[in-house]
Amino acid sequence: MKITSARTESFSAIRRRALTEAAGPAVARAVVAADKAGFLGLSEVDLTPQVQTALKTLMGEIDDLRNEVGRLKYKLNEAQGLADLDVLAPVLNRRAFLREIRRVAAFAQRYGSPASLVFFDLDGFKAVNDRFGHAAGDAALRAVAERLQGHVRETDVVGRLGGDEFAVLLVQADQRTAQAKAEALAAAVRDAPVQVGEWSVPLRISFGVREIEPGADPEAALAQADAAMLLKKRVRKEA
C-alpha cells in the first residue's frame, strides 16, 4: 500500500506547536529551552534559573559566532572576486581567465557544447604610450576592456592577458559564430578613438579565433588563438 502523507515533523516540534496552541508562547519558549538543554545533556530537572540564564547566554554567543562566520565568508568571497580582476581594467586577469577556459572546456567535453576563444592584440600600442604618455595608454586599455565587456553576453567572459592583449571566451559559439562575433567586437573597439584630455587616441586591433576542443588545456587553447591572430597579421602585411 502506498503511503501518500507520511509524517515528517519531529515529536519535539509537534509538542512545541501543541503547547503554543494550548497555553500560549510563554510555555512554548520554556519547552524550546528544555529541548536545547536536553541536547546539551541536561534534563528538565537540571534546568534551574541559573542554568536557563547560562543557556540563553550560550545560545546568544552561538548566534553571534554564526553571524561572524557569515560575515567572514562574505569578506572571503569578496576578496576572491577582487583577486580575479585585472589591476587596470574591469575584466578578469590572466589566471582567472585560464580557470574559466578550463571550466568551459570541461563542460564541452561532458555535454558536447561548443565554445570558442578570441585573442585580441592592439596594433601599434607602443606608439600610443610613446606619443600620448602612459596615462593615455592606460585609458586606452580600459576603454578596450569596457567595449569588449559591453558587447558580449553575460555568459561570455572577457579577460586581459597582460600588456595590450585581451581575450574573450564565447560559450555556445562554434568557429563560424565566433568569427562573426570577433569581427563585431573588433569594430566596437575601432569605432571611436579614446578621448584623453585634448588628445584623441585611435585604436587598431587584430584578432584570432579558435574553437575550443573538449577538455583542452587552457594555455594550449590560448596559444592556438594567439597563433591564429599572428597569422592574420602576417597575411594582412603581405597583402
Side-chain angles (χ1 to χ4, degrees):
M1 181 177 68
K2 183 178 179 181
I3 300 175
T4 58
S5 59
R7 184 181 299 278
T8 59
E9 193 174 15
S10 67
F11 177 77
S12 61
I14 296 171
R15 182 174 62 160
R16 287 197 297 271
R17 177 165 50 78
L19 284 170
T20 300
E21 294 172 355
V27 174
R29 282 195 298 269
V31 173
V32 171
D35 287 340
K36 291 178 179 177
F39 174 77
L40 295 172
L42 300 173
S43 67
E44 294 186 24
V45 176
D46 299 322
L47 203 60
T48 64
Q50 292 82 1
V51 172
Q52 291 185 39
T53 300
L55 183 58
K56 288 178 182 178
T57 301
L58 176 61
M59 300 310 296
E61 290 175 352
I62 291 174
D63 287 339
D64 290 342
L65 287 172
R66 285 173 178 164
N67 292 335
E68 180 66 12
V69 169
R71 187 184 68 81
L72 291 174
K73 284 183 178 179
Y74 175 81
K75 289 290 185 182
L76 178 60
N77 291 335
E78 188 178 51
Q80 288 174 337
L82 291 174
D84 285 346
L85 292 179
D86 181 72
V87 295
L88 180 65
V91 293
L92 294 185
N93 56 30
R94 182 185 182 92
R95 177 187 60 80
F97 191 81
L98 287 171
R99 183 191 64 217
E100 290 302 302
I101 295 176
R102 184 177 293 105
R103 178 183 62 81
V104 170
F107 187 88
Q109 186 174 38
R110 183 170 183 178
Y111 299 104
S113 174
S116 295
L117 191 60
V118 186
F119 192 103
F120 289 99
D121 179 70
L122 291 176
D123 299 330
F125 185 71
K126 183 178 182 300
V128 172
N129 281 326
D130 293 343
R131 180 180 177 186
F132 301 101
H134 288 283
D138 290 349
L141 292 174
R142 283 191 292 269
V144 171
E146 290 167 357
R147 291 176 189 183
L148 292 176
Q149 191 84 325
H151 288 80
V152 296
R153 301 162 296 178
E154 289 187 3
T155 52
D156 299 327
V157 183
V158 179
R160 179 176 171 232
L161 306 179
D164 59 349
E165 296 175 340
F166 293 83
V168 176
L169 184 57
L170 300 170
V171 300
Q172 297 293 330
D174 57 16
Q175 179 80 18
R176 182 177 179 181
T177 302
Q179 183 72 31
K181 184 62 178 179
E183 294 280 1
L185 290 172
V189 171
R190 292 190 300 255
D191 271 349
V194 178
Q195 296 300 135
V196 182
E198 298 179 353
W199 295 330
S200 182
V201 182
L203 296 175
R204 294 177 296 156
I205 194 166
S206 298
F207 65 86
V209 180
R210 275 293 179 269
E211 186 168 345
I212 298 175
E213 297 179 2
D217 175 75
E219 290 284 4
L222 268 184
Q224 291 169 1
D226 184 19
M229 183 271 298
L230 292 173
L231 179 61
K232 197 170 184 178
K233 273 191 177 185
R234 188 177 302 117
V235 170
R236 188 171 64 235
K237 288 180 180 179
E238 295 173 354

